[in-house]
Amino acid sequence: MLLSTSWYVATSGSNSNPGTLAAPFQTIQFAANKAHAGDTVLVRAGTYHEDVTVPNSGTSAAKITFEPYNNESVTIDGADPIKGWTNTIGSIWTASMPTNLGVGMNQVFVDGQMMNEARWPNTPLILPPAKGFDLSNPTLETAPSITASMTSFTINDPKLTQATGFWVGATLRIGSGADWVNQTGTVTSSGPGFVTVAYTPHDPTYTIPKATNKYYLYGVAGALDSAGEWFRSSSGKLSLWTPAGDSPNNHTVEVKTRTYGFNLGSASNIKIQGFHLFACSIYTTYHSTVDVINAITSQFANQFATSAQGFLPPGQTGIILAGNNDVLSNSVIADTAGDGVFINASYVSVTNDVIHDTDYAGVDCAPIRVGGYGDSVVHNTCYNTGRDGILFSGNHDTITNNNVYDYGLQTTDLGGFYSAGYNGHGTVIAYNKFHDAILPTSTYGATGIMLDNASSGFIVERNIIWNVNAGFRVNGTPTDGPSNLQFYNNTVDATQYSMDKDGFQTDDWSTILFENNIFTHPIEFGLNVQLIDNISNHNDFTHAFVGDFSLAPGAPAIDTGMVVPPYTNGYVGSAPDVGALEYGLPVFTTGANYSLIPKDPTGG
């Protein structure tokens, strides 16, 4: 039987050392090459500019573990420093930047804060102190007039005062048409008051650009005109205006160079825990099963600013869990252009994580994307995201006890939970909170749980939904068998509709059941829907404005629920949760007895 070994790594070490605590290796990769089943790689404090590919697998009884030594602070950094700055003009400094990841993919950091590629209109720095930007809420220009075809569009805007040809070759990002997603196109001509853009619409009806769509431009040298911006020339020169307007030599300036901090593409039964990942992610494939990622923090896992069609973002993004039985737990994921976590395998578990400020590109991404069989998404807090909260394309999954809020920050027609045409095959959505996502009434709005395009096969029970445009929205006629959508024991306090649907009044909802739900606002159902013991147009809650949905005295129901202590997902830090209370769900059974008792999910 092989004995387990501990391998040690330190920035001051050497790969010619034996890898002991007294004489450690210098790189994690060198230790990974040595490690076999049952071994542990212990990393001393410091920053490691590596892309660690783990070549060997552990076993179910003896994983290979990577973790900081004695809980020391260890950062795996996907960016590399840029030095040798010279002053060009005013506050703009220039240095060599040999790295080029492609249009919209490059990323520049000053003292750990992401800078903006030179753009218009400018986004103000967060003050005080001047460090970075609110990536989830970028400054955008509203187009007063647009003429469009299926191949190009022209924005006429008097605020575009730049000279003829100034924007040619630039990229324009726009929430086109109905603003379901953002997409990008290339400027082919420009002049004072206009830009013309080549693009490809996703849909000939709903995604053709129109007046009032919001946009911004980036990618030409002349746009570098404010603090916190940068531009990389085709000759490999990086120009930068620091947030403080001083020399970059006074700061740590880095550019993204690597995609992954840990690549587990061919390694199973690996455990990675306790690290901080900066400007890189973790990657698994169907070859890398039963891998565990625990107690990490991840910031800026992915970057892209170009998406020719926003419903087709560029590949898998975020922490990628593509191996069966992989686990992500007790972690904080923040600041990604796309997904926070990408699930693309069976029996994956994502548990007790805080995932925020994701999808700042405003495309079809989410804090958690679920795309496998039998996956479990439980006790996570998700907030600040460009579109959906939990984006679903799986089956036989469990989505429970999650807190999802402040979603839909850049797009419309979306949900805290969103499925577009998928059969969940009994997927359970239960005990979740979806709240605080209100969009202008002129848009398609934000929904708590949205089952779009004839989605089917979901059991939706005991969720609390409040302060959103619509609580539930079901579009289309599900066709996948009896009782394929079942809604039990939910409390829905939306601002416009508790239950909403598309405009087709002939939708047949004979296979959809609503039982024991409390609705506070207008409801819309399709034809032949099954309705049992629901309360509608009811608002007798104790303190609904702060989320306390216990029933007030005299309400047409008897509340036997209780208020319990704050729910924090075990996270200690800057207010990842609502900071209010976890409330009992007032539900009911039959007649006048409405109480917090278990409900048979089969409707019996």
Side-chain angles (χ1 to χ4, degrees), residues 424-481:
H425 290 284
T427 288
V428 175
I429 309 167
Y431 297 96
N432 302 287
K433 296 186 292 186
F434 299 103
H435 57 102
D436 293 304
I438 298 179
L439 301 178
T441 55
S442 59
T443 72
Y444 286 83
T447 303
I449 297 175
M450 184 168 178
L451 304 177
D452 205 358
N453 296 351
S455 291
S456 59
F458 293 94
I459 298 171
V460 181
E461 63 171 327
R462 291 181 180 248
N463 300 281
I464 297 182
I465 302 171
W466 76 94
N467 207 35
V468 298
N469 295 89
F472 298 134
R473 179 175 293 138
V474 174
N475 289 337
T477 299
T479 58
D480 294 309

Short mmCIF file of all heavy atoms in Angstrom, two decimals, residues 424-481:
data_model
loop_
_atom_site.label_atom_id
_atom_site.label_comp_id
_atom_site.label_asym_id
_atom_site.label_seq_id
_atom_site.Cartn_x
_atom_site.Cartn_y
_atom_site.Cartn_z
N GLY A 424 -38.10 19.85 -17.14
CA GLY A 424 -37.33 19.59 -15.93
C GLY A 424 -37.44 18.18 -15.42
O GLY A 424 -36.68 17.79 -14.52
N HIS A 425 -38.37 17.37 -15.96
CA HIS A 425 -38.55 15.98 -15.55
C HIS A 425 -38.63 15.84 -14.03
O HIS A 425 -37.93 15.03 -13.42
CB HIS A 425 -37.42 15.10 -16.10
CG HIS A 425 -37.47 14.91 -17.58
ND1 HIS A 425 -38.34 14.06 -18.22
CD2 HIS A 425 -36.75 15.51 -18.58
CE1 HIS A 425 -38.16 14.12 -19.53
NE2 HIS A 425 -37.20 15.00 -19.78
N GLY A 426 -39.49 16.66 -13.44
CA GLY A 426 -39.67 16.57 -12.00
C GLY A 426 -38.71 17.42 -11.19
O GLY A 426 -38.63 17.27 -9.96
N THR A 427 -37.99 18.31 -11.82
CA THR A 427 -37.10 19.22 -11.09
C THR A 427 -37.90 19.99 -10.04
O THR A 427 -38.97 20.51 -10.32
CB THR A 427 -36.41 20.19 -12.04
OG1 THR A 427 -35.44 19.48 -12.81
CG2 THR A 427 -35.71 21.33 -11.30
N VAL A 428 -37.37 20.05 -8.83
CA VAL A 428 -38.04 20.71 -7.72
C VAL A 428 -37.42 22.08 -7.48
O VAL A 428 -36.19 22.21 -7.33
CB VAL A 428 -37.94 19.86 -6.43
CG1 VAL A 428 -38.52 20.61 -5.24
CG2 VAL A 428 -38.66 18.53 -6.63
N ILE A 429 -38.27 23.11 -7.44
CA ILE A 429 -37.85 24.48 -7.10
C ILE A 429 -38.59 24.83 -5.82
O ILE A 429 -39.79 25.11 -5.84
CB ILE A 429 -38.23 25.46 -8.22
CG1 ILE A 429 -37.73 24.96 -9.59
CG2 ILE A 429 -37.67 26.86 -7.93
CD1 ILE A 429 -38.32 25.72 -10.76
N ALA A 430 -37.91 24.81 -4.69
CA ALA A 430 -38.63 24.90 -3.41
C ALA A 430 -37.84 25.67 -2.37
O ALA A 430 -36.60 25.66 -2.36
CB ALA A 430 -38.95 23.51 -2.89
N TYR A 431 -38.57 26.33 -1.46
CA TYR A 431 -37.99 27.02 -0.31
C TYR A 431 -36.98 28.09 -0.70
O TYR A 431 -36.05 28.40 0.05
CB TYR A 431 -37.34 26.01 0.66
CG TYR A 431 -38.30 25.02 1.26
CD1 TYR A 431 -38.46 23.76 0.70
CD2 TYR A 431 -39.07 25.36 2.37
CE1 TYR A 431 -39.35 22.85 1.24
CE2 TYR A 431 -39.96 24.45 2.92
CZ TYR A 431 -40.10 23.20 2.35
OH TYR A 431 -40.99 22.30 2.89
N ASN A 432 -37.15 28.67 -1.88
CA ASN A 432 -36.25 29.73 -2.32
C ASN A 432 -36.87 31.10 -2.07
O ASN A 432 -38.08 31.24 -1.92
CB ASN A 432 -35.97 29.59 -3.82
CG ASN A 432 -35.37 28.25 -4.17
OD1 ASN A 432 -34.21 27.98 -3.89
ND2 ASN A 432 -36.16 27.38 -4.80
N LYS A 433 -36.04 32.12 -2.06
CA LYS A 433 -36.47 33.51 -2.03
C LYS A 433 -35.99 34.19 -3.32
O LYS A 433 -34.79 34.17 -3.63
CB LYS A 433 -35.89 34.24 -0.82
CG LYS A 433 -36.38 33.70 0.52
CD LYS A 433 -35.91 34.55 1.68
CE LYS A 433 -34.42 34.46 1.90
NZ LYS A 433 -33.98 35.16 3.11
N PHE A 434 -36.94 34.77 -4.06
CA PHE A 434 -36.62 35.54 -5.25
C PHE A 434 -37.21 36.93 -5.05
O PHE A 434 -38.42 37.08 -4.85
CB PHE A 434 -37.24 34.90 -6.50
CG PHE A 434 -36.75 33.50 -6.78
CD1 PHE A 434 -37.53 32.40 -6.47
CD2 PHE A 434 -35.50 33.29 -7.34
CE1 PHE A 434 -37.09 31.10 -6.73
CE2 PHE A 434 -35.05 32.01 -7.60
CZ PHE A 434 -35.84 30.91 -7.29
N HIS A 435 -36.38 37.97 -5.11
CA HIS A 435 -36.89 39.29 -4.75
C HIS A 435 -36.02 40.43 -5.26
O HIS A 435 -34.88 40.24 -5.70
CB HIS A 435 -37.03 39.40 -3.22
CG HIS A 435 -35.77 39.14 -2.46
ND1 HIS A 435 -35.01 40.15 -1.92
CD2 HIS A 435 -35.14 37.99 -2.13
CE1 HIS A 435 -33.97 39.63 -1.28
NE2 HIS A 435 -34.02 38.32 -1.40
N ASP A 436 -36.61 41.61 -5.23
CA ASP A 436 -35.92 42.87 -5.54
C ASP A 436 -35.33 42.88 -6.94
O ASP A 436 -34.12 43.01 -7.14
CB ASP A 436 -34.86 43.18 -4.49
CG ASP A 436 -35.48 43.48 -3.13
OD1 ASP A 436 -36.32 44.38 -3.06
OD2 ASP A 436 -35.16 42.77 -2.16
N ALA A 437 -36.22 42.75 -7.91
CA ALA A 437 -35.85 42.87 -9.32
C ALA A 437 -37.03 43.49 -10.04
O ALA A 437 -37.91 42.79 -10.53
CB ALA A 437 -35.49 41.51 -9.91
N ILE A 438 -37.06 44.81 -10.09
CA ILE A 438 -38.15 45.53 -10.72
C ILE A 438 -37.61 46.31 -11.91
O ILE A 438 -36.68 47.10 -11.76
CB ILE A 438 -38.85 46.48 -9.74
CG1 ILE A 438 -39.48 45.68 -8.59
CG2 ILE A 438 -39.92 47.30 -10.45
CD1 ILE A 438 -40.17 46.54 -7.56
N LEU A 439 -38.17 46.06 -13.08
CA LEU A 439 -37.76 46.75 -14.30
C LEU A 439 -38.87 47.69 -14.74
O LEU A 439 -40.02 47.56 -14.32
CB LEU A 439 -37.46 45.72 -15.39
CG LEU A 439 -36.35 44.71 -15.05
CD1 LEU A 439 -36.17 43.72 -16.18
CD2 LEU A 439 -35.03 45.40 -14.74
N PRO A 440 -38.56 48.67 -15.60
CA PRO A 440 -39.60 49.59 -16.07
C PRO A 440 -40.79 48.85 -16.67
O PRO A 440 -40.63 47.83 -17.34
CB PRO A 440 -38.87 50.43 -17.12
CG PRO A 440 -37.43 50.35 -16.74
CD PRO A 440 -37.23 48.98 -16.16
N THR A 441 -41.99 49.36 -16.42
CA THR A 441 -43.20 48.69 -16.89
C THR A 441 -43.30 48.68 -18.41
O THR A 441 -44.08 47.91 -18.97
CB THR A 441 -44.45 49.37 -16.32
OG1 THR A 441 -44.41 50.78 -16.66
CG2 THR A 441 -44.49 49.24 -14.81
N SER A 442 -42.48 49.49 -19.09
CA SER A 442 -42.49 49.49 -20.56
C SER A 442 -41.73 48.30 -21.14
O SER A 442 -41.78 48.06 -22.34
CB SER A 442 -41.87 50.79 -21.08
OG SER A 442 -40.53 50.93 -20.61
N THR A 443 -41.01 47.54 -20.27
CA THR A 443 -40.27 46.38 -20.74
C THR A 443 -41.03 45.10 -20.39
O THR A 443 -42.13 45.14 -19.85
CB THR A 443 -38.89 46.33 -20.06
OG1 THR A 443 -39.05 45.97 -18.67
CG2 THR A 443 -38.18 47.67 -20.15
N TYR A 444 -40.42 43.96 -20.70
CA TYR A 444 -41.02 42.67 -20.36
C TYR A 444 -40.89 42.36 -18.86
O TYR A 444 -41.50 41.43 -18.37
CB TYR A 444 -40.36 41.56 -21.16
CG TYR A 444 -40.78 41.55 -22.62
CD1 TYR A 444 -40.15 42.38 -23.55
CD2 TYR A 444 -41.78 40.71 -23.07
CE1 TYR A 444 -40.53 42.37 -24.89
CE2 TYR A 444 -42.17 40.68 -24.40
CZ TYR A 444 -41.54 41.52 -25.30
OH TYR A 444 -41.91 41.51 -26.63
N GLY A 445 -40.09 43.12 -18.17
CA GLY A 445 -40.02 43.01 -16.73
C GLY A 445 -39.17 41.86 -16.22
O GLY A 445 -38.55 41.11 -16.98
N ALA A 446 -39.15 41.75 -14.88
CA ALA A 446 -38.41 40.69 -14.20
C ALA A 446 -39.40 39.83 -13.43
O ALA A 446 -40.33 40.33 -12.79
CB ALA A 446 -37.37 41.29 -13.25
N THR A 447 -39.19 38.53 -13.46
CA THR A 447 -40.08 37.56 -12.84
C THR A 447 -39.35 36.79 -11.75
O THR A 447 -38.13 36.60 -11.84
CB THR A 447 -40.60 36.58 -13.91
OG1 THR A 447 -41.23 37.32 -14.95
CG2 THR A 447 -41.58 35.58 -13.34
N GLY A 448 -40.09 36.35 -10.75
CA GLY A 448 -39.48 35.49 -9.75
C GLY A 448 -39.07 34.16 -10.35
O GLY A 448 -37.89 33.80 -10.38
N ILE A 449 -40.05 33.41 -10.84
CA ILE A 449 -39.79 32.13 -11.51
C ILE A 449 -40.43 32.19 -12.88
O ILE A 449 -41.65 32.32 -13.00
CB ILE A 449 -40.35 30.95 -10.70
CG1 ILE A 449 -39.64 30.86 -9.34
CG2 ILE A 449 -40.21 29.64 -11.47
CD1 ILE A 449 -40.21 29.80 -8.42
N MET A 450 -39.63 32.11 -13.93
CA MET A 450 -40.13 32.22 -15.30
C MET A 450 -39.91 30.91 -16.03
O MET A 450 -38.77 30.47 -16.22
CB MET A 450 -39.46 33.36 -16.04
CG MET A 450 -40.02 33.59 -17.44
SD MET A 450 -39.45 35.15 -18.13
CE MET A 450 -40.21 35.09 -19.76
N LEU A 451 -41.01 30.27 -16.45
CA LEU A 451 -40.97 29.03 -17.21
C LEU A 451 -41.43 29.38 -18.63
O LEU A 451 -42.61 29.39 -18.94
CB LEU A 451 -41.86 27.99 -16.55
CG LEU A 451 -41.50 27.71 -15.08
CD1 LEU A 451 -42.46 26.72 -14.46
CD2 LEU A 451 -40.06 27.23 -14.95
N ASP A 452 -40.46 29.67 -19.46
CA ASP A 452 -40.70 30.26 -20.77
C ASP A 452 -40.79 29.19 -21.85
O ASP A 452 -40.33 28.05 -21.67
CB ASP A 452 -39.56 31.23 -21.08
CG ASP A 452 -39.93 32.32 -22.06
OD1 ASP A 452 -41.07 32.33 -22.54
OD2 ASP A 452 -39.06 33.19 -22.33
N ASN A 453 -41.38 29.56 -22.99
CA ASN A 453 -41.35 28.74 -24.20
C ASN A 453 -41.81 27.30 -23.95
O ASN A 453 -41.16 26.34 -24.35
CB ASN A 453 -39.95 28.74 -24.81
CG ASN A 453 -39.53 30.11 -25.28
OD1 ASN A 453 -40.32 31.04 -25.30
ND2 ASN A 453 -38.25 30.25 -25.62
N ALA A 454 -42.96 27.16 -23.26
CA ALA A 454 -43.57 25.84 -23.02
C ALA A 454 -42.68 24.93 -22.18
O ALA A 454 -42.62 23.71 -22.39
CB ALA A 454 -43.95 25.16 -24.33
N SER A 455 -41.96 25.50 -21.21
CA SER A 455 -41.22 24.67 -20.26
C SER A 455 -42.18 23.76 -19.50
O SER A 455 -43.35 24.10 -19.29
CB SER A 455 -40.46 25.55 -19.27
OG SER A 455 -39.40 26.23 -19.89
N SER A 456 -41.70 22.61 -19.07
CA SER A 456 -42.57 21.65 -18.41
C SER A 456 -41.77 20.85 -17.39
O SER A 456 -40.54 20.95 -17.31
CB SER A 456 -43.17 20.70 -19.45
OG SER A 456 -42.15 20.01 -20.14
N GLY A 457 -42.51 20.05 -16.59
CA GLY A 457 -41.84 19.11 -15.69
C GLY A 457 -41.22 19.73 -14.46
O GLY A 457 -40.15 19.28 -14.03
N PHE A 458 -41.87 20.74 -13.85
CA PHE A 458 -41.34 21.37 -12.64
C PHE A 458 -42.35 21.29 -11.51
O PHE A 458 -43.56 21.44 -11.72
CB PHE A 458 -41.01 22.85 -12.89
CG PHE A 458 -39.87 23.07 -13.84
CD1 PHE A 458 -40.10 23.27 -15.19
CD2 PHE A 458 -38.56 23.06 -13.39
CE1 PHE A 458 -39.06 23.47 -16.08
CE2 PHE A 458 -37.51 23.26 -14.27
CZ PHE A 458 -37.75 23.47 -15.62
N ILE A 459 -41.86 21.06 -10.31
CA ILE A 459 -42.65 21.16 -9.09
C ILE A 459 -42.15 22.39 -8.34
O ILE A 459 -40.97 22.47 -7.96
CB ILE A 459 -42.51 19.92 -8.21
CG1 ILE A 459 -43.03 18.69 -8.96
CG2 ILE A 459 -43.26 20.10 -6.89
CD1 ILE A 459 -42.74 17.37 -8.26
N VAL A 460 -43.02 23.38 -8.19
CA VAL A 460 -42.66 24.67 -7.62
C VAL A 460 -43.42 24.83 -6.31
O VAL A 460 -44.64 24.99 -6.31
CB VAL A 460 -43.01 25.81 -8.60
CG1 VAL A 460 -42.60 27.16 -8.02
CG2 VAL A 460 -42.34 25.58 -9.96
N GLU A 461 -42.72 24.77 -5.19
CA GLU A 461 -43.44 24.81 -3.93
C GLU A 461 -42.68 25.57 -2.84
O GLU A 461 -41.45 25.59 -2.79
CB GLU A 461 -43.76 23.41 -3.43
CG GLU A 461 -42.55 22.55 -3.12
CD GLU A 461 -42.95 21.25 -2.43
OE1 GLU A 461 -43.94 21.27 -1.67
OE2 GLU A 461 -42.27 20.23 -2.65
N ARG A 462 -43.48 26.25 -1.98
CA ARG A 462 -42.98 26.91 -0.78
C ARG A 462 -41.86 27.92 -1.07
O ARG A 462 -40.89 28.03 -0.32
CB ARG A 462 -42.53 25.88 0.26
CG ARG A 462 -43.69 25.11 0.85
CD ARG A 462 -43.22 24.11 1.91
NE ARG A 462 -44.37 23.40 2.45
CZ ARG A 462 -44.84 23.53 3.69
NH1 ARG A 462 -44.28 24.40 4.52
NH2 ARG A 462 -45.86 22.83 4.10
N ASN A 463 -41.99 28.65 -2.15
CA ASN A 463 -41.08 29.76 -2.43
C ASN A 463 -41.73 31.07 -1.99
O ASN A 463 -42.95 31.20 -2.00
CB ASN A 463 -40.79 29.83 -3.93
CG ASN A 463 -40.15 28.56 -4.45
OD1 ASN A 463 -38.97 28.32 -4.29
ND2 ASN A 463 -40.96 27.70 -5.08
N ILE A 464 -40.92 32.04 -1.57
CA ILE A 464 -41.40 33.38 -1.31
C ILE A 464 -40.84 34.30 -2.39
O ILE A 464 -39.64 34.30 -2.67
CB ILE A 464 -40.96 33.91 0.07
CG1 ILE A 464 -41.56 33.06 1.18
CG2 ILE A 464 -41.40 35.36 0.25
CD1 ILE A 464 -41.20 33.54 2.57
N ILE A 465 -41.73 35.06 -3.02
CA ILE A 465 -41.33 35.96 -4.11
C ILE A 465 -41.92 37.33 -3.81
O ILE A 465 -43.12 37.45 -3.55
CB ILE A 465 -41.86 35.45 -5.46
CG1 ILE A 465 -41.33 34.04 -5.74
CG2 ILE A 465 -41.50 36.40 -6.58
CD1 ILE A 465 -41.95 33.37 -6.95
N TRP A 466 -41.07 38.37 -3.83
CA TRP A 466 -41.58 39.71 -3.58
C TRP A 466 -40.73 40.77 -4.28
O TRP A 466 -39.58 40.55 -4.64
CB TRP A 466 -41.69 39.99 -2.08
CG TRP A 466 -40.42 40.27 -1.33
CD1 TRP A 466 -39.88 41.49 -1.06
CD2 TRP A 466 -39.54 39.32 -0.72
NE1 TRP A 466 -38.72 41.36 -0.31
CE2 TRP A 466 -38.49 40.04 -0.08
CE3 TRP A 466 -39.54 37.92 -0.63
CZ2 TRP A 466 -37.47 39.41 0.62
CZ3 TRP A 466 -38.51 37.30 0.07
CH2 TRP A 466 -37.49 38.05 0.67
N ASN A 467 -41.37 41.91 -4.48
CA ASN A 467 -40.72 43.08 -5.07
C ASN A 467 -40.09 42.77 -6.43
O ASN A 467 -38.96 43.15 -6.72
CB ASN A 467 -39.66 43.66 -4.11
CG ASN A 467 -39.45 45.14 -4.35
OD1 ASN A 467 -40.38 45.86 -4.67
ND2 ASN A 467 -38.23 45.60 -4.18
N VAL A 468 -40.86 42.07 -7.26
CA VAL A 468 -40.50 41.82 -8.65
C VAL A 468 -41.72 42.18 -9.51
O VAL A 468 -42.83 42.29 -9.00
CB VAL A 468 -40.10 40.35 -8.89
CG1 VAL A 468 -38.86 40.00 -8.09
CG2 VAL A 468 -41.24 39.41 -8.52
N ASN A 469 -41.54 42.35 -10.80
CA ASN A 469 -42.67 42.72 -11.66
C ASN A 469 -43.75 41.65 -11.65
O ASN A 469 -44.94 41.95 -11.51
CB ASN A 469 -42.20 42.95 -13.10
CG ASN A 469 -41.27 44.13 -13.22
OD1 ASN A 469 -40.06 43.97 -13.08
ND2 ASN A 469 -41.79 45.32 -13.47
N ALA A 470 -43.34 40.40 -11.82
CA ALA A 470 -44.28 39.29 -11.81
C ALA A 470 -43.72 38.16 -10.95
O ALA A 470 -42.52 37.89 -10.98
CB ALA A 470 -44.53 38.79 -13.23
N GLY A 471 -44.61 37.53 -10.19
CA GLY A 471 -44.16 36.42 -9.35
C GLY A 471 -43.81 35.20 -10.17
O GLY A 471 -42.67 34.72 -10.15
N PHE A 472 -44.81 34.69 -10.91
CA PHE A 472 -44.61 33.59 -11.84
C PHE A 472 -44.96 34.07 -13.25
O PHE A 472 -45.84 34.89 -13.43
CB PHE A 472 -45.53 32.40 -11.52
CG PHE A 472 -45.31 31.79 -10.17
CD1 PHE A 472 -46.39 31.49 -9.35
CD2 PHE A 472 -44.04 31.48 -9.72
CE1 PHE A 472 -46.22 30.92 -8.11
CE2 PHE A 472 -43.85 30.91 -8.47
CZ PHE A 472 -44.95 30.62 -7.67
N ARG A 473 -44.28 33.53 -14.24
CA ARG A 473 -44.70 33.73 -15.62
C ARG A 473 -44.53 32.39 -16.34
O ARG A 473 -43.46 31.78 -16.31
CB ARG A 473 -43.90 34.82 -16.32
CG ARG A 473 -44.32 35.02 -17.78
CD ARG A 473 -43.61 36.19 -18.44
NE ARG A 473 -44.01 37.44 -17.84
CZ ARG A 473 -43.18 38.43 -17.53
NH1 ARG A 473 -41.90 38.30 -17.76
NH2 ARG A 473 -43.63 39.54 -16.99
N VAL A 474 -45.61 31.95 -16.97
CA VAL A 474 -45.60 30.73 -17.77
C VAL A 474 -46.02 31.11 -19.18
O VAL A 474 -47.12 31.62 -19.38
CB VAL A 474 -46.55 29.66 -17.20
CG1 VAL A 474 -46.62 28.46 -18.12
CG2 VAL A 474 -46.10 29.24 -15.79
N ASN A 475 -45.17 30.87 -20.14
CA ASN A 475 -45.45 31.20 -21.53
C ASN A 475 -45.57 29.94 -22.36
O ASN A 475 -44.66 29.10 -22.36
CB ASN A 475 -44.36 32.09 -22.11
CG ASN A 475 -44.38 33.49 -21.54
OD1 ASN A 475 -45.41 33.95 -21.05
ND2 ASN A 475 -43.25 34.18 -21.59
N GLY A 476 -46.68 29.79 -23.05
CA GLY A 476 -46.87 28.66 -23.94
C GLY A 476 -47.69 27.56 -23.31
O GLY A 476 -48.15 27.64 -22.16
N THR A 477 -47.86 26.49 -24.05
CA THR A 477 -48.64 25.33 -23.62
C THR A 477 -47.71 24.15 -23.44
O THR A 477 -47.22 23.58 -24.43
CB THR A 477 -49.71 24.99 -24.66
OG1 THR A 477 -50.60 26.10 -24.81
CG2 THR A 477 -50.50 23.76 -24.24
N PRO A 478 -47.42 23.75 -22.20
CA PRO A 478 -46.59 22.55 -21.99
C PRO A 478 -47.25 21.32 -22.61
O PRO A 478 -48.47 21.17 -22.57
CB PRO A 478 -46.51 22.44 -20.46
CG PRO A 478 -46.83 23.81 -19.97
CD PRO A 478 -47.80 24.39 -20.95
N THR A 479 -46.45 20.45 -23.17
CA THR A 479 -47.01 19.31 -23.90
C THR A 479 -46.42 17.98 -23.46
O THR A 479 -46.55 16.98 -24.16
CB THR A 479 -46.75 19.48 -25.41
OG1 THR A 479 -45.34 19.60 -25.63
CG2 THR A 479 -47.45 20.70 -25.95
N ASP A 480 -45.79 17.93 -22.31
CA ASP A 480 -45.05 16.73 -21.93
C ASP A 480 -45.73 15.91 -20.85
O ASP A 480 -45.09 15.41 -19.93
CB ASP A 480 -43.64 17.10 -21.47
CG ASP A 480 -42.82 17.66 -22.61
OD1 ASP A 480 -42.79 17.01 -23.66
OD2 ASP A 480 -42.25 18.75 -22.46
N GLY A 481 -47.05 15.78 -20.89
CA GLY A 481 -47.71 14.87 -19.99
C GLY A 481 -48.51 15.56 -18.92
O GLY A 481 -48.47 16.77 -18.75
#
